[in-house]
Amino acid sequence: GAVVSQHPSWVICKSGTSVKIECRSLDFQATTMFWYRQFPKQSLMLMATSNEGSKATYEQGVEKDKFLINHASLTLSTLTVTSAHPEDSSFYICSLNRGAEAFFGQGTRLTVV
Amino acid sequence: AQSVTQLGSHVSVSEGALVLLRCNYSSSVPPYLFWYVQYPNQGLQLLLKYTSAATLVKGINGFEAEFKKSETSFHLTKPSAHMSDAAEYFCAVSSAGGGNKLTFGTGTQLKVEL
């Protein structure tokens, strides 16, 4: 398998500030990681594909300037929510694939007040 | 293009009863199919997966699922529900040629009653 560590597990921030979420692969070098968003009582929606050493690929409707993704190494991808607003409050989850199987981080609960 | 439909956003069973969570998929290429479980405020844990080998797949915690191409289904079952099975369950589809992107169903909340 693969171990994926996501940090922080929860964060509260003020409206207008930026928040960085880290996703680390602890035992596997991942050239690609995925970032998902999950609203309460809803499914996971893919936001973007994080590519090591190159630009992320964003899904339709996701603002790339608001959700900055950096994949600077094979074991770390970061998602920065810039100028956060209450509507950005959500559960964010990262994942990576090893073969055909996806492994998920523990998720980050973001609350913007 | 690929999609997943989970019938029933909420399923309630008695402890010891059969669990059946339904999943139908749509895919233009041979699919990989997955069932994940999610507990509150946690990430997803893989229960089982189908990747074109045996059509009856056994997973963790006594769960199993059968891939039926003719019905485009991948329903999840467990013979006897336990209280600890109460959680949110997601069916997902991907394809090897699609960069392994997962498309999730809307989820089914399983409630287990005494």
Coordinates of all heavy atoms in Angstrom, one line a residue, chain A residues 1-89:
Chain A
G1 N 0.8 -1.2 0.0 CA 0.0 0.0 0.0 C 0.8 1.2 0.0 O 2.0 1.2 -0.3
A2 N 0.2 2.3 0.4 CA 0.9 3.6 0.5 C 0.3 4.4 1.7 O -0.9 4.3 2.0 CB 0.8 4.4 -0.8
V3 N 1.2 5.1 2.4 CA 0.7 5.9 3.5 C 0.7 7.4 3.1 O 1.8 7.9 2.7 CB 1.7 5.7 4.7 CG1 1.2 6.5 5.9 CG2 1.7 4.2 5.1
V4 N -0.4 8.0 3.3 CA -0.6 9.4 2.9 C -0.9 10.2 4.2 O -1.9 9.8 4.9 CB -1.7 9.6 1.9 CG1 -1.8 11.0 1.5 CG2 -1.4 8.7 0.7
S5 N -0.1 11.2 4.4 CA -0.3 12.0 5.6 C -0.8 13.4 5.2 O -0.1 14.1 4.4 CB 1.0 12.1 6.4 OG 0.8 12.9 7.6
Q6 N -1.8 13.9 5.7 CA -2.4 15.2 5.4 C -2.4 16.0 6.6 O -2.8 15.6 7.7 CB -3.8 15.0 4.8 CG -4.3 16.2 4.1 CD -5.7 16.0 3.4 OE1 -6.0 14.8 3.1 NE2 -6.5 17.0 3.3
H7 N -2.0 17.3 6.5 CA -1.9 18.2 7.6 C -2.2 19.6 7.2 O -1.9 20.1 6.2 CB -0.4 18.2 8.1 CG -0.2 19.1 9.3 ND1 -0.5 18.7 10.6 CD2 0.3 20.3 9.3 CE1 -0.2 19.7 11.4 NE2 0.3 20.7 10.7
P8 N -3.0 20.3 8.0 CA -3.5 19.9 9.3 C -4.8 19.1 9.2 O -5.4 19.0 8.1 CB -3.8 21.2 10.0 CG -4.2 22.2 8.9 CD -3.3 21.7 7.7
S9 N -5.3 18.5 10.2 CA -6.5 17.7 10.1 C -7.7 18.7 10.2 O -8.8 18.3 9.7 CB -6.6 16.7 11.2 OG -6.4 17.3 12.5
W10 N -7.5 19.8 10.9 CA -8.6 20.8 10.9 C -7.9 22.2 11.0 O -6.9 22.3 11.6 CB -9.6 20.6 12.0 CG -9.1 20.6 13.3 CD1 -8.6 19.5 14.0 CD2 -8.9 21.7 14.2 NE1 -8.2 19.9 15.3 CE2 -8.4 21.2 15.4 CE3 -9.3 23.1 14.1 CZ2 -8.1 22.1 16.5 CZ3 -9.0 23.9 15.1 CH2 -8.4 23.4 16.3
V11 N -8.6 23.2 10.5 CA -8.1 24.6 10.6 C -9.3 25.5 10.5 O -10.2 25.3 9.8 CB -7.1 24.9 9.5 CG1 -7.6 24.6 8.1 CG2 -6.5 26.2 9.6
I12 N -9.2 26.5 11.4 CA -10.1 27.6 11.3 C -9.4 28.9 11.0 O -8.4 29.2 11.6 CB -10.8 27.8 12.7 CG1 -11.5 26.5 13.1 CG2 -11.8 29.0 12.7 CD1 -12.1 26.5 14.5
C13 N -9.9 29.6 10.0 CA -9.2 30.8 9.6 C -10.2 32.0 9.4 O -11.4 31.7 9.2 CB -8.4 30.6 8.3 SG -9.4 30.4 6.8
K14 N -9.7 33.2 9.4 CA -10.5 34.3 9.2 C -10.7 34.6 7.7 O -9.8 34.3 6.9 CB -9.9 35.6 9.8 CG -9.9 35.6 11.3 CD -9.4 36.9 11.9 CE -9.5 36.9 13.4 NZ -9.0 38.2 14.0
S15 N -11.9 35.1 7.4 CA -12.2 35.4 6.0 C -11.1 36.4 5.4 O -10.7 37.3 6.1 CB -13.6 36.1 5.9 OG -14.0 36.2 4.6
G16 N -10.6 36.1 4.2 CA -9.6 36.9 3.6 C -8.2 36.4 3.7 O -7.3 36.9 3.0
T17 N -8.0 35.5 4.6 CA -6.6 35.0 4.8 C -6.5 33.7 4.0 O -7.4 33.2 3.3 CB -6.4 34.6 6.3 OG1 -7.3 33.6 6.7 CG2 -6.6 35.8 7.2
S18 N -5.2 33.2 3.9 CA -4.9 32.1 3.1 C -4.5 30.9 4.0 O -4.0 31.1 5.1 CB -3.7 32.4 2.2 OG -4.1 33.4 1.2
V19 N -4.8 29.7 3.5 CA -4.5 28.5 4.3 C -3.8 27.5 3.4 O -4.3 27.3 2.3 CB -5.9 27.9 4.8 CG1 -5.6 26.5 5.5 CG2 -6.6 28.8 5.8
K20 N -2.8 26.9 4.0 CA -2.0 25.9 3.2 C -2.3 24.5 3.8 O -2.2 24.3 5.0 CB -0.5 26.2 3.2 CG 0.3 25.1 2.4 CD 1.8 25.4 2.5 CE 2.2 26.5 1.7 NZ 3.7 26.6 1.6
I21 N -2.6 23.6 3.0 CA -2.8 22.2 3.4 C -1.7 21.3 2.7 O -1.5 21.4 1.5 CB -4.2 21.7 3.0 CG1 -5.3 22.6 3.5 CG2 -4.4 20.2 3.4 CD1 -6.7 22.3 3.0
E22 N -1.1 20.5 3.5 CA 0.0 19.6 3.0 C -0.5 18.2 2.8 O -1.2 17.7 3.7 CB 1.2 19.7 3.9 CG 1.9 21.0 4.0 CD 3.1 20.9 4.8 OE1 3.3 19.9 5.5 OE2 3.9 21.9 4.8
C23 N 0.0 17.6 1.8 CA -0.3 16.1 1.6 C 1.1 15.5 1.3 O 1.8 15.8 0.3 CB -1.2 16.0 0.4 SG -1.6 14.3 0.0
R24 N 1.4 14.5 2.2 CA 2.7 13.9 2.1 C 2.6 12.4 1.8 O 1.7 11.7 2.5 CB 3.6 14.1 3.3 CG 4.0 15.5 3.6 CD 4.9 15.6 4.8 NE 5.3 17.0 5.1 CZ 6.3 17.6 4.5 NH1 7.1 16.9 3.7 NH2 6.6 18.8 4.8
S25 N 3.4 11.9 0.9 CA 3.4 10.4 0.7 C 4.6 10.0 1.5 O 5.8 10.3 1.2 CB 3.7 10.2 -0.8 OG 3.9 8.8 -1.0
L26 N 4.4 9.1 2.5 CA 5.4 8.8 3.4 C 6.3 7.6 3.0 O 7.4 7.4 3.5 CB 4.8 8.4 4.8 CG 4.0 9.5 5.5 CD1 3.5 9.1 6.8 CD2 4.8 10.8 5.6
D27 N 5.8 6.8 2.1 CA 6.6 5.6 1.7 C 6.5 5.3 0.2 O 6.8 4.2 -0.2 CB 6.0 4.4 2.4 CG 4.5 4.1 2.1 OD1 3.9 5.0 1.5 OD2 4.0 3.1 2.6
F28 N 6.2 6.3 -0.6 CA 6.0 6.1 -2.0 C 6.3 7.4 -2.7 O 5.8 8.5 -2.3 CB 4.6 5.6 -2.3 CG 4.3 5.3 -3.7 CD1 4.9 4.3 -4.4 CD2 3.4 6.1 -4.4 CE1 4.7 4.1 -5.8 CE2 3.1 5.9 -5.7 CZ 3.7 4.9 -6.4
Q29 N 7.0 7.3 -3.8 CA 7.2 8.6 -4.6 C 6.1 8.7 -5.6 O 5.9 7.9 -6.5 CB 8.6 8.5 -5.3 CG 9.7 8.5 -4.3 CD 11.1 8.6 -5.0 OE1 11.3 8.0 -6.0 NE2 12.0 9.3 -4.4
A30 N 5.4 9.8 -5.5 CA 4.2 10.0 -6.3 C 4.4 11.1 -7.3 O 4.5 12.3 -6.9 CB 3.0 10.2 -5.4
T31 N 4.4 10.8 -8.5 CA 4.4 11.9 -9.5 C 3.1 12.6 -9.7 O 3.1 13.8 -10.1 CB 4.9 11.4 -10.9 OG1 3.9 10.3 -11.3 CG2 6.3 10.8 -10.8
T32 N 2.0 12.0 -9.3 CA 0.7 12.6 -9.4 C 0.0 12.4 -8.1 O 0.0 11.3 -7.5 CB -0.1 11.9 -10.5 OG1 0.6 12.0 -11.7 CG2 -1.5 12.5 -10.6
M33 N -0.7 13.5 -7.7 CA -1.6 13.4 -6.5 C -2.9 14.1 -6.9 O -2.9 14.9 -7.8 CB -1.0 14.1 -5.3 CG 0.3 13.4 -4.7 SD 0.8 14.2 -3.2 CE 2.2 13.2 -2.8
F34 N -3.9 13.8 -6.2 CA -5.2 14.4 -6.5 C -5.8 15.1 -5.3 O -5.6 14.7 -4.1 CB -6.2 13.3 -6.9 CG -5.7 12.4 -8.1 CD1 -5.0 11.3 -7.9 CD2 -6.1 12.8 -9.3 CE1 -4.6 10.5 -9.0 CE2 -5.6 12.1 -10.4 CZ -4.9 10.9 -10.2
W35 N -6.5 16.2 -5.5 CA -7.1 17.0 -4.5 C -8.6 16.9 -4.7 O -9.1 17.2 -5.8 CB -6.6 18.4 -4.4 CG -5.2 18.5 -3.9 CD1 -4.1 18.6 -4.6 CD2 -4.9 18.6 -2.5 NE1 -3.0 18.7 -3.7 CE2 -3.5 18.7 -2.4 CE3 -5.6 18.6 -1.3 CZ2 -2.8 18.8 -1.2 CZ3 -4.9 18.6 -0.1 CH2 -3.5 18.8 -0.1
Y36 N -9.3 16.5 -3.6 CA -10.8 16.5 -3.6 C -11.4 17.4 -2.6 O -10.8 17.8 -1.6 CB -11.3 15.1 -3.3 CG -10.9 14.0 -4.3 CD1 -9.7 13.3 -4.2 CD2 -11.8 13.6 -5.3 CE1 -9.3 12.4 -5.2 CE2 -11.4 12.6 -6.2 CZ -10.2 12.0 -6.1 OH -9.9 11.1 -7.1
R37 N -12.6 17.8 -2.9 CA -13.4 18.6 -1.9 C -14.7 17.9 -1.6 O -15.3 17.3 -2.6 CB -13.6 20.0 -2.6 CG -14.4 20.9 -1.7 CD -14.5 22.3 -2.4 NE -15.1 23.3 -1.6 CZ -15.2 24.5 -1.9 NH1 -14.7 25.0 -3.1 NH2 -15.8 25.4 -1.1
Q38 N -15.1 17.9 -0.4 CA -16.3 17.2 0.0 C -17.1 18.1 0.9 O -16.7 18.5 2.0 CB -16.0 15.9 0.7 CG -17.2 15.1 1.1 CD -16.8 13.8 1.9 OE1 -15.9 13.8 2.6 NE2 -17.6 12.8 1.7
F39 N -18.3 18.5 0.4 CA -19.3 19.3 1.2 C -20.0 18.3 2.1 O -20.1 17.1 1.8 CB -20.2 20.1 0.3 CG -19.5 21.2 -0.4 CD1 -19.2 21.1 -1.7 CD2 -19.2 22.4 0.3 CE1 -18.6 22.2 -2.4 CE2 -18.5 23.4 -0.3 CZ -18.2 23.3 -1.7
P40 N -20.6 18.8 3.2 CA -21.3 18.0 4.1 C -22.4 17.1 3.5 O -23.1 17.6 2.6 CB -21.9 19.0 5.1 CG -21.0 20.2 5.1 CD -20.5 20.2 3.7
K41 N -22.4 15.9 3.8 CA -23.4 14.9 3.3 C -23.3 14.8 1.8 O -24.3 14.3 1.2 CB -24.8 15.4 3.7 CG -25.0 15.7 5.2 CD -24.8 14.5 6.0 CE -25.2 14.8 7.5 NZ -24.9 13.6 8.3
Q42 N -22.2 15.1 1.2 CA -22.1 15.0 -0.2 C -20.8 14.1 -0.6 O -20.1 13.7 0.2 CB -22.0 16.3 -0.9 CG -23.2 17.2 -0.8 CD -23.2 18.4 -1.6 OE1 -22.5 18.5 -2.7 NE2 -23.8 19.5 -1.1
S43 N -20.7 13.8 -1.9 CA -19.6 13.0 -2.4 C -18.3 13.8 -2.5 O -18.3 15.1 -2.3 CB -20.0 12.4 -3.7 OG -19.0 11.4 -4.0
L44 N -17.3 13.2 -2.9 CA -16.0 13.8 -3.2 C -16.0 14.3 -4.6 O -16.4 13.6 -5.6 CB -14.9 12.9 -3.0 CG -14.4 12.6 -1.6 CD1 -15.4 11.6 -0.9 CD2 -13.0 12.0 -1.6
M45 N -15.6 15.5 -4.8 CA -15.5 16.1 -6.1 C -14.0 16.4 -6.4 O -13.4 17.1 -5.6 CB -16.3 17.4 -6.2 CG -17.8 17.2 -6.0 SD -18.5 16.1 -7.2 CE -18.3 17.0 -8.7
L46 N -13.5 15.9 -7.5 CA -12.1 16.1 -7.9 C -11.9 17.6 -8.2 O -12.7 18.1 -9.0 CB -11.7 15.3 -9.0 CG -10.3 15.4 -9.5 CD1 -9.3 14.9 -8.5 CD2 -10.1 14.6 -10.8
M47 N -11.0 18.2 -7.6 CA -10.7 19.6 -7.8 C -9.5 19.7 -8.9 O -9.6 20.5 -9.8 CB -10.2 20.3 -6.6 CG -11.2 20.4 -5.5 SD -10.5 21.1 -4.0 CE -10.2 22.8 -4.5
A48 N -8.5 19.0 -8.6 CA -7.3 19.1 -9.5 C -6.4 17.9 -9.4 O -6.4 17.2 -8.4 CB -6.6 20.4 -9.1
T49 N -5.6 17.8 -10.4 CA -4.5 16.7 -10.4 C -3.2 17.5 -10.3 O -2.9 18.4 -11.1 CB -4.6 16.0 -11.7 OG1 -5.9 15.4 -11.9 CG2 -3.5 14.9 -11.7
S50 N -2.5 17.1 -9.2 CA -1.2 17.7 -8.9 C -0.1 16.9 -9.6 O 0.0 15.7 -9.4 CB -1.0 17.7 -7.4 OG 0.3 18.2 -7.0
N51 N 0.7 17.6 -10.4 CA 1.8 16.9 -11.1 C 3.2 17.4 -10.7 O 3.4 18.6 -10.7 CB 1.6 17.2 -12.6 CG 0.3 16.8 -13.2 OD1 -0.1 15.6 -13.1 ND2 -0.5 17.8 -13.7
E52 N 4.0 16.5 -10.3 CA 5.3 16.8 -9.8 C 6.1 17.6 -10.8 O 6.3 17.1 -11.9 CB 6.0 15.6 -9.3 CG 7.4 15.9 -8.6 CD 8.6 15.9 -9.5 OE1 8.5 15.2 -10.5 OE2 9.6 16.5 -9.1
G53 N 6.6 18.7 -10.5 CA 7.5 19.5 -11.4 C 6.8 20.2 -12.5 O 7.4 20.8 -13.3
S54 N 5.5 20.2 -12.5 CA 4.8 21.0 -13.6 C 3.4 21.5 -13.0 O 3.1 21.3 -11.8 CB 4.5 20.1 -14.8 OG 3.6 19.0 -14.4
K55 N 2.7 22.2 -13.8 CA 1.5 22.8 -13.4 C 0.4 21.8 -13.1 O 0.3 20.7 -13.8 CB 1.0 23.8 -14.4 CG 1.9 25.0 -14.6 CD 1.2 26.0 -15.6 CE 2.1 27.2 -15.8 NZ 1.5 28.2 -16.8
A56 N -0.4 22.1 -12.1 CA -1.6 21.2 -11.8 C -2.6 21.3 -12.9 O -2.7 22.3 -13.6 CB -2.2 21.6 -10.5
T57 N -3.4 20.3 -13.0 CA -4.5 20.3 -14.0 C -5.8 20.4 -13.2 O -6.1 19.6 -12.4 CB -4.5 18.9 -14.8 OG1 -3.3 18.7 -15.4 CG2 -5.6 19.0 -15.8
Y58 N -6.5 21.5 -13.5 CA -7.7 21.8 -12.7 C -9.0 21.3 -13.4 O -9.1 21.3 -14.7 CB -7.8 23.3 -12.5 CG -6.8 23.8 -11.5 CD1 -5.5 24.1 -11.9 CD2 -7.1 24.0 -10.2 CE1 -4.6 24.6 -11.0 CE2 -6.2 24.5 -9.3 CZ -4.9 24.8 -9.7 OH -4.0 25.2 -8.8
E59 N -9.9 20.8 -12.7 CA -11.2 20.4 -13.2 C -12.0 21.7 -13.5 O -11.8 22.7 -13.0 CB -12.0 19.5 -12.2 CG -11.3 18.2 -11.9 CD -11.1 17.3 -13.1 OE1 -12.1 17.0 -13.8 OE2 -9.9 17.0 -13.4
Q60 N -13.0 21.4 -14.4 CA -13.8 22.5 -14.9 C -14.6 23.2 -13.7 O -15.1 22.5 -12.8 CB -14.8 22.0 -15.9 CG -15.6 23.1 -16.6 CD -16.4 22.6 -17.7 OE1 -16.6 21.4 -17.9 NE2 -17.0 23.4 -18.6
G61 N -14.5 24.5 -13.6 CA -15.2 25.2 -12.6 C -14.4 25.5 -11.4 O -14.8 26.2 -10.5
V62 N -13.2 25.0 -11.3 CA -12.3 25.2 -10.1 C -11.4 26.3 -10.5 O -10.7 26.3 -11.5 CB -11.5 23.9 -9.8 CG1 -10.5 24.2 -8.6 CG2 -12.4 22.8 -9.5
E63 N -11.3 27.3 -9.6 CA -10.5 28.5 -9.8 C -9.1 28.2 -9.5 O -8.7 28.1 -8.3 CB -11.0 29.7 -9.0 CG -12.5 30.1 -9.3 CD -12.9 31.2 -8.3 OE1 -12.3 32.3 -8.3 OE2 -13.8 31.0 -7.5
K64 N -8.2 28.2 -10.5 CA -6.8 27.9 -10.3 C -6.1 29.0 -9.5 O -5.1 28.7 -8.8 CB -6.1 27.6 -11.6 CG -6.1 28.8 -12.6 CD -5.4 28.4 -13.9 CE -6.2 27.3 -14.6 NZ -5.5 27.0 -15.9
D65 N -6.6 30.2 -9.6 CA -5.9 31.3 -8.8 C -6.3 31.3 -7.4 O -5.7 31.9 -6.5 CB -6.2 32.7 -9.5 CG -5.6 32.8 -10.8 OD1 -4.6 32.2 -11.1 OD2 -6.2 33.5 -11.7
K66 N -7.4 30.7 -7.1 CA -7.9 30.6 -5.7 C -7.3 29.4 -5.0 O -7.0 29.4 -3.8 CB -9.4 30.6 -5.7 CG -10.0 30.5 -4.3 CD -11.4 30.8 -4.2 CE -11.9 30.9 -2.8 NZ -11.3 32.0 -2.1
F67 N -7.2 28.3 -5.7 CA -6.8 27.1 -5.1 C -5.4 26.7 -5.8 O -5.3 26.1 -6.8 CB -7.8 25.9 -5.4 CG -9.1 26.1 -4.7 CD1 -10.2 26.6 -5.5 CD2 -9.3 25.9 -3.4 CE1 -11.4 26.8 -4.9 CE2 -10.5 26.1 -2.8 CZ -11.6 26.6 -3.5
L68 N -4.3 27.2 -5.1 CA -3.0 27.1 -5.6 C -2.4 25.7 -5.2 O -2.4 25.4 -4.1 CB -2.1 28.2 -5.1 CG -2.5 29.6 -5.5 CD1 -1.6 30.6 -4.9 CD2 -2.6 29.8 -7.0
I69 N -1.9 25.0 -6.2 CA -1.4 23.7 -6.0 C 0.1 23.7 -6.4 O 0.5 24.1 -7.4 CB -2.1 22.6 -6.7 CG1 -3.5 22.5 -6.1 CG2 -1.4 21.3 -6.7 CD1 -4.4 21.5 -6.9
N70 N 0.9 23.2 -5.4 CA 2.3 23.0 -5.7 C 2.8 21.6 -5.4 O 2.5 21.1 -4.3 CB 3.1 24.0 -4.8 CG 4.6 24.0 -5.1 OD1 5.3 23.1 -4.6 ND2 5.0 24.9 -5.9
H71 N 3.5 21.0 -6.3 CA 3.9 19.6 -6.2 C 5.4 19.7 -6.4 O 5.9 19.2 -7.5 CB 3.2 18.8 -7.2 CG 3.3 17.3 -6.9 ND1 2.3 16.4 -7.3 CD2 4.2 16.6 -6.3 CE1 2.7 15.2 -6.9 NE2 3.8 15.2 -6.3
A72 N 6.1 20.2 -5.4 CA 7.6 20.5 -5.6 C 8.5 19.2 -5.5 O 9.6 19.2 -6.0 CB 8.0 21.5 -4.6
S73 N 8.0 18.2 -4.9 CA 8.8 17.0 -4.8 C 7.9 15.8 -4.9 O 6.7 15.9 -5.0 CB 9.4 16.9 -3.4 OG 8.5 16.5 -2.4
L74 N 8.5 14.6 -5.0 CA 7.7 13.4 -5.3 C 7.0 12.9 -4.0 O 6.2 11.9 -4.1 CB 8.7 12.3 -5.7 CG 9.2 12.5 -7.1 CD1 10.3 11.4 -7.4 CD2 8.2 12.3 -8.2
T75 N 7.2 13.6 -2.9 CA 6.5 13.2 -1.7 C 5.6 14.3 -1.1 O 5.0 14.1 0.0 CB 7.5 12.7 -0.6 OG1 8.4 13.8 -0.3 CG2 8.3 11.5 -1.1
L76 N 5.5 15.4 -1.7 CA 4.8 16.5 -1.1 C 4.0 17.3 -2.1 O 4.6 17.8 -3.1 CB 5.7 17.4 -0.4 CG 5.1 18.7 0.2 CD1 4.0 18.3 1.3 CD2 6.1 19.6 0.8
S77 N 2.7 17.4 -1.9 CA 1.9 18.3 -2.7 C 1.2 19.3 -1.7 O 0.7 18.8 -0.6 CB 0.8 17.6 -3.5 OG -0.1 18.5 -4.2
T78 N 1.0 20.5 -2.0 CA 0.3 21.5 -1.1 C -0.8 22.1 -1.9 O -0.7 22.4 -3.1 CB 1.3 22.5 -0.6 OG1 1.8 23.3 -1.7 CG2 2.4 21.9 0.2
L79 N -1.9 22.4 -1.1 CA -3.0 23.1 -1.7 C -3.2 24.4 -0.8 O -3.3 24.2 0.4 CB -4.3 22.3 -1.6 CG -5.6 23.0 -1.8 CD1 -5.8 23.4 -3.2 CD2 -6.8 22.1 -1.4
T80 N -3.1 25.5 -1.4 CA -3.3 26.8 -0.7 C -4.6 27.4 -1.1 O -4.8 27.7 -2.3 CB -2.2 27.7 -1.0 OG1 -0.9 27.1 -0.5 CG2 -2.3 29.0 -0.2
V81 N -5.5 27.6 -0.2 CA -6.8 28.3 -0.4 C -6.5 29.8 -0.1 O -6.2 30.2 1.0 CB -7.9 27.8 0.5 CG1 -9.2 28.5 0.2 CG2 -8.0 26.3 0.4
T82 N -6.5 30.6 -1.2 CA -6.2 32.0 -1.1 C -7.4 32.8 -0.8 O -8.5 32.5 -1.3 CB -5.4 32.5 -2.3 OG1 -6.3 32.4 -3.4 CG2 -4.2 31.7 -2.6
S83 N -7.2 33.9 0.0 CA -8.3 34.8 0.3 C -9.6 34.0 0.6 O -10.6 34.1 -0.1 CB -8.6 35.7 -0.9 OG -9.5 36.7 -0.6
A84 N -9.5 33.2 1.6 CA -10.6 32.2 1.9 C -11.9 33.0 2.3 O -11.8 34.0 2.9 CB -10.2 31.3 3.0
H85 N -13.0 32.4 1.9 CA -14.3 33.0 2.3 C -15.1 31.8 2.9 O -14.8 30.7 2.7 CB -15.0 33.6 1.1 CG -14.4 34.8 0.6 ND1 -13.5 34.9 -0.4 CD2 -14.6 36.1 1.0 CE1 -13.1 36.1 -0.6 NE2 -13.8 36.9 0.3
P86 N -16.2 32.2 3.6 CA -17.0 31.1 4.3 C -17.4 30.0 3.3 O -17.5 28.9 3.7 CB -18.2 31.9 4.9 CG -17.6 33.3 5.2 CD -16.6 33.5 4.1
E87 N -17.7 30.4 2.1 CA -18.2 29.3 1.1 C -17.1 28.3 0.8 O -17.3 27.3 0.2 CB -18.7 30.0 -0.1 CG -17.8 30.9 -0.9 CD -18.0 32.3 -0.5 OE1 -18.4 32.6 0.7 OE2 -17.7 33.2 -1.4
D88 N -15.8 28.6 1.2 CA -14.7 27.7 0.9 C -14.6 26.7 2.1 O -13.9 25.7 2.0 CB -13.4 28.4 0.9 CG -13.3 29.4 -0.3 OD1 -13.9 29.1 -1.4 OD2 -12.7 30.5 -0.2
S89 N -15.4 26.9 3.1 CA -15.4 25.9 4.2 C -15.9 24.5 3.7 O -16.9 24.4 3.0 CB -16.4 26.4 5.3 OG -16.0 27.6 5.8

